[in-house]
Amino acid sequence: MKQKIKPTIWLFDLDNTLHNASAAVFPSIANNMTRYMTQVLAAANHPSDIDTVNQLRVDYLKRYGATLKGMVIHHGVDETDFLREAHQFEHLPDLLRRERGLSKILALLPGQKILFTNAPQEYSKQTIRYFNLHRHFSDHISIEAMHVHGKSHPKPSKPYLRKLLAQHAWSPQQCILVEDSVANLVAAKQIGLRTVLVTGHGQHVQQKSISASADIKVKSVFELPHRLRQLGFS
């Protein structure tokens, strides 16, 4: 009996991978986070000047993969409150930059596609619906779901990646992570996933080393159908 070939699982990041979040979304989120963090720090009599708060926001992002996790660990904030405050937009569509033809590109990629994002569910759901990409994704894994033993484990958490693989009986070699974050790709590569680094929209955290993090590097996901052979497709 022939062994059944397992389908490829594409794990797609959202911001700066499927759309240009640096143009308007990230600045808006950064302002929201800074305002909320200032209130939290001031209430606890911690230094809360703008430079201190901005430095802390970026430091937690670099250290934990999400500012949220640092605020939960070090300041005891409520996860739901933080995500709600950070992603309050007067009119989200005004901040989104549509790229025509992206839906056709996703349709050309063989296998199952899953949205895998450190963004909260409501924001990421609204975003992919605005871009009319939701029909391509069989599942949607947002930061609220990324927990291990009851604790928050956003990307680049290797424990959560291992948990995800075990839950679905996926092998690492079966999966391809498509990301703009080098740190997230490094963690996935160490576990055995295939990896794609997307560079065209810039990165919200400067990351210098890309060694051993990506099987291929592309400026845009629009390149993926032409690079499948490099990812092991015949």
Side-chain angles (χ1 to χ4, degrees), residues 114-128:
I114 293 169
L115 192 67
F116 184 42
T117 173
N118 275 357
Q121 184 176 43
E122 188 58 32
Y123 157 75
S124 48
K125 184 192 300 182
Q126 288 180 35
T127 300
I128 62 167

Side-chain angles (χ1 to χ4, degrees), residues 9-107:
I9 307 296
W10 295 86
L11 298 169
F12 274 94
D13 179 49
L14 175 60
D15 294 329
N16 275 1
T17 298
L18 291 174
H19 75 116
N20 183 358
S22 288
V25 171
F26 278 161
S28 182
I29 292 174
N31 288 336
N32 289 343
M33 282 188 184
T34 297
R35 182 174 60 252
Y36 178 73
M37 290 172 66
T38 298
Q39 294 170 355
V40 170
L41 294 172
N45 294 318
H46 288 302
S48 57
D49 60 278
I50 190 67
D51 290 337
T52 297
V53 172
N54 281 331
Q55 185 64 51
L56 205 60
R57 176 173 55 79
V58 174
D59 285 348
Y60 287 161
L61 181 57
K62 289 180 178 179
R63 184 173 175 183
Y64 298 111
T67 302
L68 164 66
K69 188 172 181 179
M71 290 301 291
V72 170
I73 291 173
H74 298 288
H75 307 279
V77 303
D78 180 80
E79 192 172 317
T80 302
D81 287 347
F82 182 91
L83 290 172
R84 183 186 63 250
E85 294 296 325
H87 293 81
Q88 283 195 6
F89 310 105
E90 189 170 329
H91 189 233
L92 179 58
D94 290 343
L95 305 178
L96 299 175
R97 303 294 181 262
R98 189 188 298 274
E99 289 187 87
R100 292 189 178 185
L102 186 53
S103 181
K104 291 181 180 179
I105 293 298
L106 292 181

